[in-house]
């Protein structure tokens, strides 16, 4: 990963139980490394995301469908209230590298 050294220097932050992340902003883009654990609570999110699953298996339930992602898959989650989604980890943990516009 091109940003490996930058992420290795950053501390983990824990926004909710079972989720931790590191991030930094670069040229109007937020780069975020997120580790989800199997005991992450169910919660809905409305923010758009584009990223890559680096480890594990992850299920995302949208309002009208479910999708399962495995290591190496690109993930696109649309933005906005009409695109609510809920994530569920199918392995012990899943790590995702997200690229988000600020």
């Amino acid at each position: 990963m091109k940003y490996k050294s930058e992420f290795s220097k950053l501390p983990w932050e824990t926004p909710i139980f079972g989720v931790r992340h590191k991030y930094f902003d670069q040229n109007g883009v937020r780069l975020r490394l997120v580790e989800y654990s199997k005991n992450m609570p169910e919660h809905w999110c409305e923010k758009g995301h584009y990223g890559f699953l680096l480890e594990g298996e992850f299920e995302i339930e949208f309002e009208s469908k479910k999708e399962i992602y495995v290591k190496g898959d690109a993930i696109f989650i649309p933005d906005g209230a009409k695109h609510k989604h809920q994530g569920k980890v199918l392995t012990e943990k899943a790590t995702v590298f997200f690229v988000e516009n600020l």
Side-chain angles (χ1 to χ4, degrees), residues 24 59-60 64 71 89 93 102:
F24 65 94
E59 176 186 272
I60 299 177
S64 60
K71 180 179 178 177
V89 179
K93 66 179 182 176
L102 294 176

Side-chain angles (χ1 to χ4, degrees), residues 13 19 26 34 37 44 52 59 71 81 87 91 96 98 101:
E13 297 183 22
V19 179
Q26 179 175 298
V34 184
S37 69
W44 288 94
F52 299 92
E59 176 186 272
K71 180 179 178 177
T91 49
V96 185
F98 285 116
N101 291 323

Side-chain angles (χ1 to χ4, degrees), residues 19-87:
V19 179
R20 63 183 191 160
H21 68 196
K22 309 178 176 196
Y23 66 88
F24 65 94
D25 301 337
Q26 179 175 298
N27 301 327
V29 174
R30 171 166 287 161
L31 304 173
R32 193 160 61 107
L33 186 66
V34 184
E35 184 180 276
Y36 301 95
S37 69
K38 197 171 181 89
N39 58 3
M40 173 183 70
E42 292 185 6
H43 64 285
W44 288 94
C45 181
E46 297 179 0
K47 182 170 172 52
H49 302 291
Y50 174 76
F52 299 92
L53 185 59
L54 304 179
E55 179 182 6
E57 293 184 12
F58 200 65
E59 176 186 272
I60 299 177
E61 179 183 349
F62 296 94
E63 291 179 309
S64 60
K65 64 180 177 178
K66 287 184 184 181
E67 293 184 1
I68 295 177
Y69 298 91
V70 297
K71 180 179 178 177
D73 284 350
I75 298 174
F76 175 69
I77 303 170
D79 198 359
K82 292 183 179 179
H83 300 287
K84 287 173 113 178
H85 65 277
Q86 178 174 303

